[in-house]
């Protein structure tokens, strides 16, 4: 059975939407990363499990062109942003505690010129830098991973010196379209952000369901 969509209480719904839209704006307006000299030359290759590490629902994320899909963790639900989100964002979902948001973004084919996921990560960085003064900083290195034949470019960012981190994966679909999936911490409900180990497990699990 499809998991039931759960809607947040009315008294915090607007705060959730507002918080999610602020996070989404960071991605589409370019407030993602500040490049440090030489850092983008450092790349790690990492291995990820091809299967989710947490229970996943049948709530389906689908791109507008249908060339990528993903699934949400159990209990997560989509947020209706009332058409206020930037046009590049085609799906936003949050967890039951409203402490994490999954943001899915697409870029028009030909907007960037990336031949692989690592190049797309670097192009994505440049795109964001062109549109912001750089309030958000990169944490650590770029990394790449393959799950089967699927290749992803990965990076982390923060506005709090690393206290709270956003993890982002970029990839190129079979149609040559560019996509980002980001897991973003939210401070809209007053509840504690999940610990880093759980945060990373959720990120890896959603990533494992992405098909393109």
């Amino acid at each position: 059975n499809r998991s039931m969509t759960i809607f947040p209480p009315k008294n915090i719904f607007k705060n959730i939407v507002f918080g999610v839209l602020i996070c989404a704006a960071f991605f589409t307006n370019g407030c993602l990363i500040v490049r440090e000299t030489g850092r983008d030359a450092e790349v790690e290759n990492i291995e990820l499990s091809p299967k989710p590490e947490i229970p996943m629902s049948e709530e389906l994320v689908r791109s507008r062109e249908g060339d990528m899909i993903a699934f949400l963790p159990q209990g997560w639900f989509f947020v209706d942003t009332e058409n206020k989100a930037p046009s590049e964002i085609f799906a936003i979902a949050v967890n039951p505690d409203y402490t994490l948001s999954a943001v899915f973004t697409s870029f028009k084919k030909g907007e960037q010129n990336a031949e692989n996921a690592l190049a797309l990560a670097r192009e994505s960085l440049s795109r964001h830098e062109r549109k912001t003064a750089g309030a958000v900083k990169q944490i650590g290195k770029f990394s790449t991973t393959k799950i089967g034949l699927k290749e992803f470019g990965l990076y982390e960012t923060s506005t709090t010196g690393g206290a709270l981190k956003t993890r982002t994966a970029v990839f190129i679909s079979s149609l040559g379209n560019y996509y980002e999936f980001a897991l973003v911490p939210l401070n809209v409900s007053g509840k504690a952000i999940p610990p880093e180990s759980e945060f990373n497990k959720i990120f890896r699990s959603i990533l494992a369901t992405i098909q393109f």
Side-chain angles (χ1 to χ4, degrees):
N1 296 329
R2 281 182 69 85
S3 58
M4 182 179 296
T5 299
I6 303 173
F7 295 96
K10 291 183 179 179
N11 63 330
I12 65 172
F13 179 77
K14 289 185 178 180
N15 287 337
I16 294 170
V17 172
F18 180 72
V20 170
L21 286 176
I22 289 176
C23 294
F26 278 128
F27 290 98
T28 56
N29 291 335
C31 198
L32 272 177
I33 306 169
V34 174
R35 180 180 297 166
E36 296 183 19
T37 302
R39 171 162 293 190
D40 65 338
E42 299 178 2
V43 178
E44 294 179 321
N45 295 314
I46 61 175
E47 294 185 5
L48 296 181
S49 170
K51 296 182 179 180
E53 301 171 51
I54 61 173
M56 305 299 288
S57 73
E58 294 182 15
E59 289 287 355
L60 182 66
V61 179
R62 184 188 299 273
S63 65
R64 295 184 181 97
E65 295 193 28
D67 56 341
M68 70 78 56
I69 62 170
F71 290 91
L72 301 180
Q74 283 188 2
W76 285 54
F77 57 90
F78 292 106
V79 174
D80 182 359
T81 60
E82 302 175 350
N83 297 319
K84 295 179 181 178
S87 60
E88 296 94 337
I89 295 176
F90 60 89
I92 299 176
V94 294
N95 66 344
D97 288 336
Y98 322 123
T99 56
L100 296 175
S101 174
V103 181
F104 294 85
T105 306
S106 64
F107 302 102
K108 293 180 180 179
K109 187 175 181 180
E111 181 177 342
Q112 300 167 346
N113 184 21
E115 69 276 10
N116 55 45
L118 178 59
L120 180 58
R122 289 172 171 157
E123 289 289 341
S124 175
L125 170 59
S126 296
R127 178 179 184 271
H128 296 311
E129 285 182 324
R130 289 194 298 269
K131 296 184 177 182
T132 184
V136 181
K137 299 184 183 296
Q138 183 179 6
I139 302 296
K141 307 173 181 179
F142 287 113
S143 57
T144 61
T145 189
K146 284 189 175 181
I147 302 178
L149 298 177
K150 300 173 296 182
E151 182 185 31
F152 298 91
L154 310 173
Y155 54 80
E156 292 184 326
T157 57
S158 178
T159 60
T160 57
L164 295 177
K165 299 178 184 179
T166 291
R167 294 202 70 186
T168 302
V170 298
F171 51 96
I172 305 172
S173 78
S174 59
L175 297 182
N177 294 320
Y178 305 130
Y179 292 101
E180 283 185 0
F181 152 57
L183 188 61
V184 186
L186 295 175
N187 287 313
V188 295
S189 67
K191 296 184 179 180
I193 304 295
E196 186 173 4
S197 58
E198 181 180 349
F199 183 98
N200 290 337
K201 186 181 294 185
I202 293 169
F203 178 83
R204 293 192 300 264
S205 295
I206 297 176
L207 196 67
T209 71
I210 294 177
Q211 302 291 326
F212 56 89

